[in-house]
């Protein structure tokens, strides 16, 4: 019997709704929030208000595009966390109301696991290639950087994580210092294509195991700018492309060094990337090159599944539905990963 699930995602500044039938995507609607650009980062209160404005039309559009009405849904999957508490509260509260109105079960989803499970979404016109279990997933976003050993759709083992900044956070902070607009990661990626990746050298961390650190790189980058700008006030403008290319190369090298080590020690050669930074061209090219060198099967998400989206939430919810892992009406959103069970 077919299972139809509505996914709702509201963890940060994108309001999204999607409908899947089994693992096939029927619709995926995203409303982004441009209001944060002038502030150089996401303002939680503004994000919450925008979610309140967007959630009804986004869900209505997703249902219409899927050709289904709410009363025909088998379940509603929603992001419980981690994320901005106010933003999550909008999605969780709306899910409860819709579930009560139509007597539909609710399924809570870990946002980060949703990113990983995006590799198992099928499209109406074609089935995408999926990794085999177990596989390693490098999960890279603005708030999280992890290496996850995925043993099944239900078993996720974090074997490496950042001990300070996330990779996406490092991109954004360094971009801000150079006077680049928010979000900085995509701007750095664009400028990096025009620059010399060997022009500057920045510090790389020496952290044991599979954990990451980007605070030292950020400090090295800031000191380089401080010293060079003291000599030439126009240094950043003259060298912007080379700075971006060198910064991106360093971050990608840090990410891949640990991933290679994890693959060697676990013996796993199905390797995937996920999260917002998985759209970065340097990382995509780097993991592809490493894969060819090391005999990996590499899996890169389609660009529309790299950002926060409800398709991945619906898909992750599908597997929880199969296990009858339903949420009760007293469920509350949680901001921190550590608070998710």
């Amino acid at each position: 019997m077919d299972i139809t699930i509505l996914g709702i995602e509201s963890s940060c500044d994108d309001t999204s709704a999607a409908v899947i039938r089994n693992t096939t995507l029927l619709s995926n609607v995203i409303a982004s929030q441009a209001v944060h650009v002038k502030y150089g980062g996401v303002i939680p209160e503004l994000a919450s208000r925008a979610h309140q404005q967007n959630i009804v039309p986004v869900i209505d559009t997703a249902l219409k595009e899927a050709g289904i009405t709410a009363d025909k849904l088998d379940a509603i999957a929603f992001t419980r966390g981690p994320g901005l508490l106010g933003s999550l509260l909008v999605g969780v509260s709306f899910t409860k109301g819709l579930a009560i109105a139509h007597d539909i079960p609710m399924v809570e989803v870990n946002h980060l696991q949703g990113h990983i499970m995006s590799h198992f979404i099928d499209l109406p016109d074609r089935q995408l290639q999926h990794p085999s279990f177990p596989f390693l997933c490098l999960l890279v976003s603005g708030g999280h950087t992890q290496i996850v050993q995925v043993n099944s759709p239900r078993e996720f083992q974090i074997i490496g994580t950042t001990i300070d900044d996330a990779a996406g956070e490092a991109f954004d902070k360094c971009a801000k210092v150079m006077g680049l607009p928010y979000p900085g990661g995509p701007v750095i990626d664009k400028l990096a294509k025009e620059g010399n990746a060997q022009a500057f050298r920045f510090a790389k961390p020496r952290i044991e195991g599979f954990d990451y650190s980007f605070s030292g790189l950020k400090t090295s980058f800031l000191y380089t700018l401080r010293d060079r700008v003291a000599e030439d006030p126009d240094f950043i403008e003259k060298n912007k492309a080379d700075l971006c290319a060198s910064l991106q190369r360093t971050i990608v090298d840090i990410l891949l060094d640990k991933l290679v080590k994890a693959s060697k020690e676990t013996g796993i050669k199905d390797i995937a990337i996920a999260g917002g930074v998985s759209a970065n061209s340097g990382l995509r090219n780097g993991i592809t090159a490493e894969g060819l060198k090391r005999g990996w099967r590499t899996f890169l998400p389609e660009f529309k599944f790299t950002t926060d989206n409800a398709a991945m939430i619906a898909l992750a919810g599908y597997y929880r539905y199969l296990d009858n892992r339903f949420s009760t009406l007293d469920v509350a959103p949680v901001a921190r990963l550590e608070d998710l069970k």
Side-chain angles (χ1 to χ4, degrees):
M1 182 180 72
D2 289 336
I3 298 169
T4 305
I5 294 180
L6 169 68
I8 297 177
E9 156 62 22
S10 67
S11 64
C12 189
D13 60 337
D14 287 328
T15 312
S16 182
V19 178
I20 63 167
R21 180 163 293 133
N22 301 326
T23 60
T24 300
L25 183 65
L26 303 184
S27 66
N28 189 32
V29 180
I30 303 174
S32 299
Q33 302 175 4
V35 66
H36 307 286
V37 173
K38 65 179 180 180
Y39 298 103
V42 177
I43 307 301
E45 179 61 28
L46 295 180
S48 302
R49 293 178 183 180
H51 282 302
Q52 289 179 314
Q53 295 171 344
N54 293 335
I55 195 164
V56 172
V58 164
I59 291 176
D60 183 61
T61 302
L63 291 172
K64 287 179 178 176
E65 289 187 1
I68 192 172
T69 54
D71 60 301
K72 301 300 182 183
L73 295 170
D74 292 294
I76 307 171
F78 64 95
T79 302
R80 187 184 176 202
L84 301 176
L85 196 57
S87 295
L88 290 165
L89 186 60
V90 175
V92 174
S93 299
F94 192 91
T95 299
K96 290 181 180 180
L98 192 60
I100 292 171
H102 295 280
D103 193 24
I104 305 170
M106 304 185 305
V107 183
E108 65 186 69
V109 173
N110 179 323
H111 175 80
L112 301 182
Q113 292 177 3
H115 273 299
I116 295 171
M117 294 308 295
S118 66
H119 285 282
F120 295 89
I121 298 170
D122 292 319
L123 302 179
D125 58 339
R126 67 189 191 280
Q127 186 178 59
L128 302 175
Q129 188 180 27
H130 306 319
S132 298
F133 299 105
F135 68 92
L136 295 179
C137 184
L138 174 62
L139 178 58
V140 206
S141 68
H144 300 273
T145 300
Q146 300 175 342
I147 298 176
V148 182
Q149 181 173 321
V150 187
N151 297 317
S152 76
R154 302 159 179 85
E155 185 180 351
F156 304 83
Q157 179 185 358
I158 299 173
I159 62 174
T161 189
T162 180
I163 62 174
D164 42 58
D165 290 348
E169 187 179 5
F171 273 124
D172 287 341
K173 287 181 177 179
C174 291
K176 189 171 185 178
V177 172
M178 289 189 286
L180 301 179
Y182 174 85
V187 181
I188 288 177
D189 191 14
K190 181 179 179 180
L191 289 172
K193 296 172 183 176
E194 306 168 6
N196 175 11
Q198 306 300 323
F200 300 97
R201 295 180 64 86
F202 304 115
K204 293 182 181 180
R206 295 182 179 180
I207 307 296
E208 294 296 323
F210 305 131
D211 286 342
Y212 289 105
S213 170
F214 292 96
S215 62
L217 164 64
K218 183 182 65 179
T219 301
S220 173
F221 184 80
L222 295 178
Y223 282 170
T224 297
L225 294 191
R226 183 198 64 182
D227 294 344
R228 297 298 185 92
V229 169
E231 299 170 359
D232 178 5
D234 297 323
F235 169 78
I236 294 177
E237 191 61 36
K238 292 176 181 177
N239 297 276
K240 195 169 287 184
D242 287 347
L243 286 167
C244 289
S246 299
L247 175 66
Q248 179 162 288
R249 174 189 57 80
T250 306
I251 292 178
V252 170
D253 285 350
I254 293 170
L255 290 170
L256 293 181
D257 284 349
K258 294 287 187 174
L259 188 58
V260 168
K261 181 178 180 181
S263 175
K264 287 180 177 178
E265 294 199 17
T266 61
I268 296 173
K269 292 196 172 184
D270 270 25
I271 310 294
I273 55 174
V277 182
S278 66
N280 180 276
S281 64
L283 179 56
R284 293 173 82 92
N285 293 337
I287 195 171
T288 299
E290 287 291 346
L292 292 173
K293 183 195 305 182
R294 302 179 186 281
W296 292 349
R297 286 205 314 157
T298 54
F299 299 87
L300 283 61
E302 295 202 354
F303 287 105
K304 60 186 174 184
F305 298 136
T306 59
T307 57
D308 293 345
N309 66 89
M312 67 186 193
I313 302 304
L315 195 284
Y318 167 76
Y319 287 101
R320 293 179 71 89
Y321 178 92
L322 294 179
D323 291 342
N324 295 316
R325 299 174 67 182
F326 302 119
S327 299
T328 58
L329 288 173
D330 61 355
V331 64
V334 293
R336 301 188 307 167
L337 177 62
E338 297 78 13
D339 295 330
L340 279 173
K341 295 180 180 180

